[in-house]
Structures are given as structure tokens and as C-alpha cells.
Amino acid sequence: MSIRIGIFGYGNLGRGVEAAIRQNRDMELCAVFTRRDPSSLKLKTAGVPVVSAKEVSAWADRLDVMILCGGSATDLPEQTPALAKYFNVIDSFDTHAKIPEHFENVDRAAVDAGKVAIISVGWDPGMFSLNRLYASALLPDGKDYTFWGKGVSQGHSDAIRRVEGVLDARQYTIPVESALQAVRSGENPELTTRDKHLRECFVVAEEGADKARIEKEIKEMPNYFADYDTTVHFISAEELQRDHSGIPHGGFVIRSGCTGFEGEHKHIIEYSLKLDSNPEFTSSVLVAYARAAFRMAKEGQRGCKTVFDVPPALLSANDPAALRKQML
Amino acid sequence: MSIRIGIFGYGNLGRGVEAAIRQNRDMELCAVFTRRDPSSLKLKTAGVPVVSAKEVSAWADRLDVMILCGGSATDLPEQTPALAKYFNVIDSFDTHAKIPEHFENVDRAAVDAGKVAIISVGWDPGMFSLNRLYASALLPDGKDYTFWGKGVSQGHSDAIRRVEGVLDARQYTIPVESALQAVRSGENPELTTRDKHLRECFVVAEEGADKARIEKEIKEMPNYFADYDTTVHFISAEELQRDHSGIPHGGFVIRSGCTGFEGEHKHIIEYSLKLDSNPEFTSSVLVAYARAAFRMAKEGQRGCKTVFDVPPALLSANDPAALRKQML
């Protein structure tokens, strides 16, 4: 019996989940739900129905887990609690500051309905959070550092596109190599925002636009760029398409701590990701946690969980004895 | 109420646990058990009794978790099942091939006694195993690599000491940098034993010993050295003491995998440790899992567990809501 999966929302993330399900033989994609006209969607998987979001409740008994692939700004705060009434659900809610509120809302709905919900699944929040937790539990006397990149920040790219005279843009977040090295050396440096990351922008300007003004506006933009060393390159639309159409990302979680009666021994724990496709990797994490949600629901658990609550063995398609024999 | 911890065995690991408990305010060291004459042991922590191993059962109700600090060859296979009759127990059993058998023996004892036992806790097995599991669950189409070092291998150092004419020795296991780079690049190379690690030996020879013969015997030693590129340096006892008395270790777990409908996107997940003190870091992991064992026992769980079965949140002294707010 395969685990029956539904996808709610069919953008980059939804397509990534569709691809990831094919890599997991114990899972089956049963339906994709959309708020658009279902006939406008063309899936890559033959024989899977595209269903209007309005009809989702009719599928309550036909799916084991629904994977939500909407955005954190407006979609998930509404959709995750609403869908937890009918399904075990997984989302990738990534507005860090609002996680406690989202957790409460989803927990209420999932407990009432007797479902399992796992929120904020992905790599940050997600695998990076897990590594912060493990490392801080192992080395209580220590300091955590998270670096992001090199990778595309969608939010920063969008911010540049809102500047007058900009046709298109792509922004890369880049960790500062010397800061990384200082952290790895165990120096426990105090790092400002500017010390940790660079921002590199590739901008397609309108013909005749004032590039100096655009560059200045970008570099002085509060929150997004003002606190960083920012580089702006003007390129053609063709160059943007040719050289910058991927969505790579990644980063580093490093904890530097000490042990011993006098704190005399230093230790560095480092976790890093280098991802060709940010949405596809996030999708792969969602799918592994869908397996865990299915198993936790079967065990009779209910309510909202995060990656912190999930025993690692539940993520694997292999059984516990095989895991102990092969991976421990 | 502190978590009441006992230490069984007071070598490098036991002393490391004693030091680690001081870094965890929710824990208290209540007793150290030894097979030696208790009066021969001098603890670093004032007021903690040293108790003969023969009297351990009298402590059944006075400890929440017993941390076993014996060796995997002969101590733990006997001690862990025996002590699981009286205590929740944690060990660092690290003979990979015998883990399934050890698990069964400990599970039987712990289930019968209604106790929780967590075995094979440390960094390999332990944190490295966890990272192999997480990474393979996230990237099912991929390949795992584990590199060890740079660090001291006690087993290999001991093997050198058994060579005629050797007074003392220290052996470092060193990952081959070019192999690491090939793995990180996503090439998924096939690597032989020789491709992955170098072995560097520092040897103190008896006066007048035949160094050429010693070097040859080391380099040709089956299992330990014959399959590796091995370097032998002869040094004085003073130099060994001065430059090689530490017990550093570490290593890398890397998974390289792909996603997408055509496997067109590559991803690299890397976890690494750089440890000044191998036993003290292992001790720190043991202590964090002691907290988890205490909590799992309180929840009414019983039987043998491994790091694969422990929800990460149980390792942290912080409560779940704080973890979600600060670390997720």
C-alpha cells in the first residue's frame, strides 16, 4: 500500500513535490489541487487528476497526506489550518517570526480533527533549524552562526524589480568567506550583518534609464540592501536569461563550542547545503516529512508538530532494523 | 528537580561526562561507579560518592539515568543489558557490525525492566549516523560518503605498539583532500580505501631498534595499514609527549544526490566535526541523550532505542515553545 499524497498548489514547489514523489517508491501522487482553472494545468505525471481547490473536502478519505505548496505570506496562514480539518498536512511556512502563531492555529485545527500537521518543513526553517538544535544541545557552551548562500533571494530580486526603470533582476546572497573562516577557526567572532553576507545584483534596465540612480536606489534601500556591501551589475535581458535563470541556494550552520573542566577543548560542528534548485530540495524535504506524518498519524498522534518533534527514523523508507544495520 | 545521573566507569569518557554535566544545569552527578577500589579514584566534583560496581543495584531508585563509559569490546556487551535491569541507560557501543545483536540483548533487558536504553550514542555511531539517515531520506537518489579525521585512531596506535621494538606510537587518520573535493563537486566518484584516507604514524622506537624493519612491518600490516598510503615518522618520547598527547578527531559525512524529473539538479549535503577532544565530545553527546532517555522514560516508553528513534527536541534543555520561537 503506497502512501497517498495530494499536492495543494502547483508552482515551483508543487512541481518539485511531484518530481520528488517519483523518487520514493512507497508514495503515490493521487491528486493536485489548484485555485486556478484545473483544465489550465498540465501535470508531468500521467493519470493524476487536477482538482479545483473548492472540491478539496471531498477528498478527505482518499489521501493520507496533503502537501501544501503555497506561499507563507498569505496562503499558508489560512490554508494549513483549513486543510488540517480534513487531512494530515505538511507545509513549508517560513516566516520565522510568525511560527509560534501559525503553530497555535494549526495545532487547534489538527487536534480537533484528529490529524497530524507538520509545519515549517524545508531547509531554513527545517534542516538548518534541526542542526542548530542538535549542535546547541551537544555543546551548551558555544555560539551559533547561520550563513546563507550563495543563492538567489526571491524577496530581494522582487525588491529590485520595484525600482523605477528596472525591467528584471536577480539578487544573490553570498556569505563572506573571511567571516566563515573566522567562525570555523573557533574564534567566536561578533559579526554584524555587513560582516556576514554580500549582496550581488544583476539588473536589466529600461533603455535610456538612469543607471546611476537605479544603482543608488538599490544600494540605499532600507532592510534589503542598506546594511550590506552591495554590488550592482547591469546586464541584458538575454544575459539574465542565459546566466541567471537557475534558483540555486544553500548555506552553513556552524556551532563553535567548548568542553572540559576549564572549557579547554574547542569543537566545531558544521552543516552545509549546496543546492542547484532551492524549491526542489525544499520539496524533497516536504516529501520525507510527509512519510513521517503518515506514520505518526497511524500511531494515533495528533496536533501540530515541527521537525523538532519527528524521530529521524520516521523519515526513511527503510525499516528500523535495516537502518540500524546499514546506517548506524 | 535535576536529572540524577550516574557514571559507570571512570576513564577518559567518564571524566568527559563528569565535565559535561557541569555544562547542563538541569543535571546532577549523583555517583560514579567503578570496578577498581573506590578509594583509588579522585573525582573533580566535590561531594560525589565513588561506589563499587558490585553495589550498583542498591542505587536503582536513586538515579534517573546511568551513563555507561566502558569499552565496546568486552565491557558494554555485558554491562548495558545488566544495568538496564535497574536503570535507564545510555552507552556509546561502537562496534558497527555487532549493533543489531547488542540492540536485541539490551532491548530484551530494558523491556522486561520497564526501562529506556539508548545505545551507540556518540558521533560515529551517533551524529554521523543521524546525518547519513537524514540525508538519504531527503535525497533518495544519491550516494553517501563518510570520511574520518584528521584524528587519532586508538586502535591503530595500539596496533603499532605491538610491533617489536616500538615503545610508543600515535596514529592519525587523515582524509584525502582531493577525494573530499571530488565528492563535494558532485562527481559521485567510486573511491577505494586507499583513495579516501591516509595514515600517518609517529613512532618511538627502542634504542638500537631496526627502524627499517619496524616501518616495513607497520606499512604491511593487514587490515590496519596495508590498504592505505602510510607514512611513518620516528620521533623521541619527548616529542610524542609534547606534540601528540591530544586526542583530536572529526570527519565528514557527505551526500551527493539529484532531484528533478530528469535528475537534472544536483545537491550536496555535508556535515562535519572538528573535535579537539574525541572522548569529551562523545561524552557531551551521551549527556544530551541522557536527558532524552529521562524524558522518554517519563512518557512511559521502554526498550532499546538509538539516535534514530529520539525526537530532537528531547535533547534540549529548552522547552518546545522556546525552541520553536528561537531556533526554528
Side-chain angles (χ1 to χ4, degrees):
Chain A
M1 270 284 291
S2 294
I3 304 173
R4 300 167 301 170
I5 305 285
I7 293 174
F8 197 91
Y10 195 67
N12 279 338
L13 206 56
R15 280 190 296 275
V17 169
E18 182 184 9
I21 288 170
R22 297 186 181 199
Q23 295 181 314
N24 290 276
R25 293 195 189 159
D26 58 343
M27 298 191 175
E28 184 192 350
L29 177 59
C30 294
V32 172
F33 300 86
T34 180
R35 288 174 297 183
R36 292 178 267 170
D37 171 6
S39 70
S40 70
L41 255 62
K42 181 100 186 97
L43 307 188
K44 293 256 194 181
T45 313
V48 174
V50 180
V51 180
S52 166
K54 291 175 209 149
E55 294 161 32
V56 69
S57 65
W59 284 73
D61 298 325
R62 294 153 75 183
L63 300 177
D64 294 310
V65 186
M66 181 75 89
I67 302 181
L68 279 74
C69 297
S72 296
T74 56
D75 297 339
L76 298 176
E78 247 180 55
Q79 292 172 356
T80 312
L83 291 170
K85 291 177 188 154
Y86 306 105
F87 305 97
N88 301 307
V89 294
I90 308 283
D91 79 21
S92 62
F93 184 78
D94 66 0
T95 313
H96 291 260
K98 293 190 176 165
I99 286 174
E101 182 189 337
H102 188 56
F103 182 92
E104 293 304 329
N105 293 337
V106 175
D107 191 50
R108 213 172 300 124
V111 167
D112 282 354
K115 301 293 181 185
V116 167
I118 311 181
I119 62 161
S120 299
V121 171
W123 60 274
D124 197 356
M127 299 313 296
F128 273 19
S129 323
L130 267 181
N131 277 280
R132 288 187 284 261
L133 171 55
Y134 275 117
S136 67
L138 304 186
L139 295 175
D141 287 358
K143 202 163 152 49
D144 269 328
Y145 296 86
T146 301
F147 292 86
W148 295 273
K150 183 179 178 177
V152 171
S153 164
Q154 210 53 60
H156 288 79
S157 302
D158 289 343
I160 300 173
R161 286 190 202 102
R162 289 191 294 265
V163 172
E164 205 192 311
V166 171
L167 289 173
D168 203 353
R170 187 60 52 109
Q171 193 269 179
Y172 295 93
T173 305
I174 305 172
V176 175
E177 192 58 36
S178 60
L180 265 174
Q181 292 307 333
V183 169
R184 285 188 186 125
S185 75
E187 289 170 24
N188 282 5
E190 291 294 333
L191 298 171
T192 64
T193 298
R194 191 179 300 273
D195 292 336
K196 288 180 70 185
H197 295 96
L198 303 172
R199 299 205 174 276
E200 187 170 26
C201 313
F202 293 88
V203 178
V204 182
E206 285 174 10
E207 221 184 291
D210 178 350
K211 291 182 179 171
R213 194 250 320 144
I214 290 174
E215 180 165 344
K216 188 165 183 293
E217 276 192 38
I218 293 171
K219 288 184 171 176
E220 293 177 356
M221 201 182 293
N223 303 318
Y224 287 94
F225 294 101
D227 297 334
Y228 298 85
D229 288 338
T230 301
T231 321
V232 177
H233 308 279
F234 289 93
I235 61 175
S236 69
E238 293 68 36
E239 285 168 320
L240 192 80
Q241 174 61 27
R242 187 190 67 205
D243 303 333
H244 305 284
S245 62
I247 320 177
H249 220 313
F252 305 81
V253 173
I254 306 177
R255 188 167 179 93
S256 160
C258 62
T259 63
F261 291 100
E262 313 290 338
E264 65 271 34
H265 292 125
K266 282 186 182 173
H267 307 279
I268 307 285
I269 304 174
E270 176 167 343
Y271 180 80
S272 69
L273 295 173
K274 196 169 155 238
L275 311 174
D276 270 1
S277 167
N278 183 355
E280 283 182 7
F281 186 76
T282 301
S283 299
S284 293
V285 185
L286 286 166
V287 165
Y289 277 91
R291 179 181 290 119
F294 168 72
R295 291 171 173 175
M296 292 171 97
K298 251 184 137 175
E299 286 172 3
Q301 298 201 44
R302 56 177 63 187
C304 191
K305 319 283 175 191
T306 75
V307 294
F308 294 162
D309 305 306
V310 178
L314 299 187
L315 301 176
S316 173
N318 294 322
D319 73 85
L323 290 177
R324 286 192 295 271
K325 197 174 154 75
Q326 293 156 15
M327 289 205 182
L328 197 61
Chain B
M1 270 283 291
S2 294
I3 304 173
R4 300 167 302 171
I5 305 285
I7 293 174
F8 197 91
Y10 194 67
N12 279 338
L13 206 56
R15 280 190 296 274
V17 169
E18 183 185 9
I21 288 170
R22 297 184 181 201
Q23 295 181 316
N24 290 276
R25 293 193 189 161
D26 58 341
M27 299 192 176
E28 183 191 352
L29 177 59
C30 294
V32 172
F33 300 85
T34 181
R35 288 174 298 184
R36 291 178 268 170
D37 172 6
S39 68
S40 70
L41 254 61
K42 182 98 186 102
L43 306 188
K44 294 255 193 182
T45 312
V48 173
V50 181
V51 181
S52 166
K54 290 174 209 150
E55 295 162 31
V56 69
S57 64
W59 284 73
D61 297 325
R62 295 153 73 184
L63 299 176
D64 294 311
V65 185
M66 181 75 90
I67 301 182
L68 279 74
C69 297
S72 296
T74 56
D75 297 339
L76 298 176
E78 248 181 52
Q79 292 171 357
T80 312
L83 290 170
K85 290 177 188 155
Y86 306 105
F87 305 97
N88 301 308
V89 294
I90 307 283
D91 79 20
S92 61
F93 184 79
D94 66 0
T95 313
H96 289 260
K98 292 189 177 166
I99 286 174
E101 182 188 337
H102 187 56
F103 182 91
E104 292 304 328
N105 293 338
V106 175
D107 191 49
R108 213 171 300 123
V111 167
D112 282 353
K115 301 293 182 188
V116 167
I118 311 182
I119 62 161
S120 298
V121 172
W123 60 274
D124 197 356
M127 299 313 296
F128 273 20
S129 324
L130 267 181
N131 277 280
R132 287 188 285 261
L133 170 56
Y134 275 117
S136 67
L138 303 188
L139 295 175
D141 288 357
K143 202 163 152 48
D144 269 328
Y145 297 86
T146 301
F147 292 86
W148 295 274
K150 181 179 178 176
V152 171
S153 164
Q154 210 54 61
H156 288 79
S157 301
D158 289 343
I160 300 173
R161 287 190 201 101
R162 289 191 294 265
V163 172
E164 206 192 311
V166 170
L167 289 174
D168 203 353
R170 188 60 51 109
Q171 193 269 181
Y172 294 93
T173 305
I174 304 172
V176 175
E177 191 59 36
S178 60
L180 265 174
Q181 292 308 336
V183 169
R184 285 188 186 126
S185 75
E187 290 171 23
N188 283 4
E190 290 294 334
L191 297 170
T192 64
T193 299
R194 191 178 300 274
D195 292 334
K196 288 179 70 185
H197 295 95
L198 303 172
R199 298 204 175 276
E200 186 169 27
C201 314
F202 293 87
V203 178
V204 182
E206 285 174 9
E207 221 183 289
D210 179 350
K211 291 182 180 171
R213 194 246 324 139
I214 290 174
E215 180 165 344
K216 187 165 184 290
E217 277 192 38
I218 292 171
K219 289 186 170 176
E220 293 177 355
M221 203 183 294
N223 302 320
Y224 286 94
F225 294 101
D227 297 334
Y228 298 85
D229 288 338
T230 302
T231 322
V232 177
H233 308 279
F234 290 94
I235 61 175
S236 69
E238 293 69 34
E239 286 168 318
L240 192 79
Q241 175 61 29
R242 188 191 65 205
D243 303 333
H244 305 284
S245 61
I247 320 176
H249 220 313
F252 305 81
V253 174
I254 305 177
R255 187 166 181 94
S256 160
C258 63
T259 63
F261 290 99
E262 313 290 338
E264 65 272 33
H265 292 124
K266 282 186 182 174
H267 307 279
I268 307 286
I269 304 174
E270 176 166 343
Y271 180 80
S272 69
L273 295 172
K274 195 167 157 241
L275 311 173
D276 270 4
S277 166
N278 183 355
E280 283 182 6
F281 186 76
T282 301
S283 300
S284 294
V285 185
L286 286 166
V287 166
Y289 277 91
R291 180 181 290 119
F294 169 71
R295 291 172 173 175
M296 291 171 97
K298 252 184 135 175
E299 285 172 5
Q301 298 202 44
R302 56 177 60 189
C304 191
K305 318 283 175 191
T306 75
V307 293
F308 295 162
D309 305 306
V310 178
L314 298 186
L315 302 175
S316 173
N318 294 322
D319 73 82
L323 291 177
R324 285 192 295 270
K325 197 174 154 73
Q326 292 155 15
M327 288 205 182
L328 199 62

